[in-house]
């Protein structure tokens, strides 16, 4: 339902989508554009792609890197961890009891071959000079080229479920730092510097290595999760400052904004605020968006990517008016 608020600074158009809480035939989960990290897709294209399996209503999700399409924070769906939480911002999880749980979390991975346990700090993102990264087939067809890196091709690789031992055989060792193909149903463990030396010594061809992907602190009952931020509503109170890593330029101006909230009875609200369109809709600040969620009855709420990304759609039909046409997200 679209609604217009008349403010001293001009009209604000807020579109609200109300939904039952997760459970039964209703699910709440993030959708990855093109079903791979690399690349972008509009919200309406995603919904049309999902049309054969479900009726979908939704808003745009996490912030993302424009060039690659990689989400800025966590993406967990169908039991697979695609990208890790951003420790500097809020993450939203859907738990087994149907709650929208907004909290700060971080990622820590490990691998073990013929030696001791080794750290993996990066998931589907390039490692630092002495670090290691795991690339799953959700990333795309191949890892990026990284001079001096060593890559282990693992196949088959189990679903990248957090907090379980993931055992996989090393079917190829690639040195030289070029792109490494990620086989469908497989993964690549990529390392540089000291981590690359450990990889070469402790995971020769034919070894089975064990990986573990952990979200810290422990997040029990987590079914799916997505990034964004900041947290806007906690225990029914609008937050003016969340203490997350966002600039005043991101939070302060009136702009198009998207958000998700949960009411006390478990129902969900998705919100898209149009902005940057004088005479039609001037948008809201982040704190005004928090207040709007509280007025809608939200006891928990989190912001999502805003600006030109803000979009809301039902079954492939756009419901709001994005500031510069619908953007691939």
């Amino acid at each position: 339902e679209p609604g217009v608020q008349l403010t001293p600074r001009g009209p604000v158009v807020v579109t609200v989508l109300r939904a039952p809480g997760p459970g039964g035939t209703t699910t709440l989960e993030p959708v990855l554009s093109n079903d791979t990290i690399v690349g972008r897709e509009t919200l309406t294209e995603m919904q049309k792609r999902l049309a054969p399996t479900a009726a979908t209503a939704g808003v745009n999700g996490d912030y993302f890197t424009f060039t690659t399409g990689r989400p800025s924070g966590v993406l967990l769906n169908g039991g697979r961890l695609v990208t890790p939480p951003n420790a500097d911002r809020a993450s939203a999880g859907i738990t087994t009891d149907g709650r929208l749980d907004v909290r700060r979390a971080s990622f820590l991975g490990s691998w073990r071959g013929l030696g001791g346990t080794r750290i993996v700090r990066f998931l589907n993102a390039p490692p630092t000079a002495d670090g290691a990264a795991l690339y799953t087939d959700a990333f795309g067809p191949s890892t990026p080229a990284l001079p001096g890196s060593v890559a282990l091709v693992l196949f088959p690789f189990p679903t990248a479920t957090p907090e379980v031992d993931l055992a996989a055989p090393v079917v190829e060792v690639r040195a030289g730092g070029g792109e490494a193909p990620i086989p469908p149903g497989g993964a690549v463990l990529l390392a540089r510097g000291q981590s690359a030396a450990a990889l070469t010594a402790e995971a020769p061809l034919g070894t089975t290595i064990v990986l573990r992907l952990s979200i810290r602190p422990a997040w029990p009952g987590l079914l799916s999760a997505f990034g964004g931020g900041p947290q806007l509503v906690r225990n029914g109170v609008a937050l003016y400052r969340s203490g997350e890593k966002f600039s005043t330029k991101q939070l302060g101006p009136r702009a198009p904004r998207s958000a998700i909230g949960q009411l006390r009875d478990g129902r969900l609200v998705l919100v898209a605020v149009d902005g940057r369109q004088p005479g039609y809709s001037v948008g809201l600040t982040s704190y005004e968006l928090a207040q709007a969620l509280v007025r809608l009855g939200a006891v928990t709420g989190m912001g999502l990517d805003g600006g030109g990304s803000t979009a809301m759609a039902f079954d492939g039909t756009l419901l709001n008016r994005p500031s510069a046409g619908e953007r691939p997200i």
Side-chain angles (χ1 to χ4, degrees):
E1 67 204 38
V4 182
Q5 301 172 9
L6 299 172
T7 77
R9 291 165 197 88
V12 178
V13 177
V14 180
T15 310
V16 180
L17 204 156
R18 299 168 197 272
T25 58
T26 308
T27 59
L28 173 65
E29 58 182 40
V31 174
L32 182 60
S33 72
N34 316 291
D35 213 27
T36 52
I37 290 175
V38 176
R40 298 188 285 144
E41 193 179 19
T42 63
L43 176 64
T44 52
E45 282 166 349
M46 290 183 213
Q47 290 186 344
K48 285 169 185 165
R49 178 161 62 78
L50 296 171
T53 54
T56 55
V59 288
N60 65 293
D62 196 357
Y63 307 84
F64 58 91
T65 307
F66 236 78
T67 47
T68 63
R70 186 181 193 275
S72 78
V74 65
L75 197 151
L76 170 69
N77 70 1
R80 93 185 156 152
L81 186 63
V82 176
T83 49
N86 178 340
D88 295 321
R89 294 179 176 179
S91 300
I94 315 306
T95 57
T96 45
D97 57 359
R99 272 182 318 115
L100 176 70
D101 184 12
V102 180
R103 56 168 76 182
R104 296 278 282 275
S106 60
F107 168 78
L108 188 64
S110 66
W111 70 271
R112 191 176 72 250
L114 302 176
T117 300
R118 303 282 187 174
I119 297 296
V120 178
R121 293 202 190 278
F122 303 90
L123 174 64
N124 288 321
T128 49
D130 279 310
L134 177 70
Y135 283 87
T136 66
D137 61 0
F139 179 78
S142 60
T143 68
L146 275 176
S149 63
V150 171
L152 301 184
V153 181
L154 309 172
F155 184 85
F157 190 78
T159 301
T161 307
E163 318 304 344
V164 298
D165 285 344
L166 307 169
V170 178
V171 295
E172 191 181 349
V173 179
R174 297 173 76 101
E179 292 183 6
I182 307 169
V188 172
L189 183 58
L190 189 77
R192 300 171 69 192
Q194 292 168 347
S195 293
L199 212 64
T200 306
E202 297 169 22
L205 189 65
T207 318
T208 291
I209 67 171
V210 176
L211 286 109
R212 199 169 178 100
L213 311 176
S214 293
I215 293 174
R216 301 278 176 89
W219 199 336
L222 190 61
L223 285 178
S224 57
F226 47 95
Q231 182 161 13
L232 296 173
V233 182
R234 185 186 293 129
N235 300 325
V237 177
L239 301 182
Y240 183 65
R241 282 196 179 87
S242 66
E244 296 167 39
K245 204 167 182 181
F246 286 99
S247 67
T248 310
K249 190 176 159 213
Q250 286 172 295
L251 304 179
R254 285 182 178 77
R257 296 191 183 271
S258 303
I260 182 166
Q262 187 169 45
L263 312 189
R264 198 169 295 283
D265 63 9
R267 285 179 300 155
L268 298 166
V269 286
L270 300 174
V271 176
V273 180
D274 287 325
R276 296 179 188 158
Q277 299 172 71
Y280 170 68
S281 185
V282 295
L284 294 177
T285 68
S286 185
Y287 183 54
E288 287 170 341
L289 178 61
Q291 292 172 309
L293 279 174
V294 170
R295 281 197 298 273
L296 289 166
V299 290
T300 304
M302 186 180 83
L304 298 163
D305 189 13
S309 296
T310 287
M312 180 182 282
F314 175 70
D315 266 353
T317 301
L318 203 58
L319 301 179
N320 72 316
R321 198 191 287 185
S323 55
E326 197 187 1
R327 167 193 284 175
I329 52 176

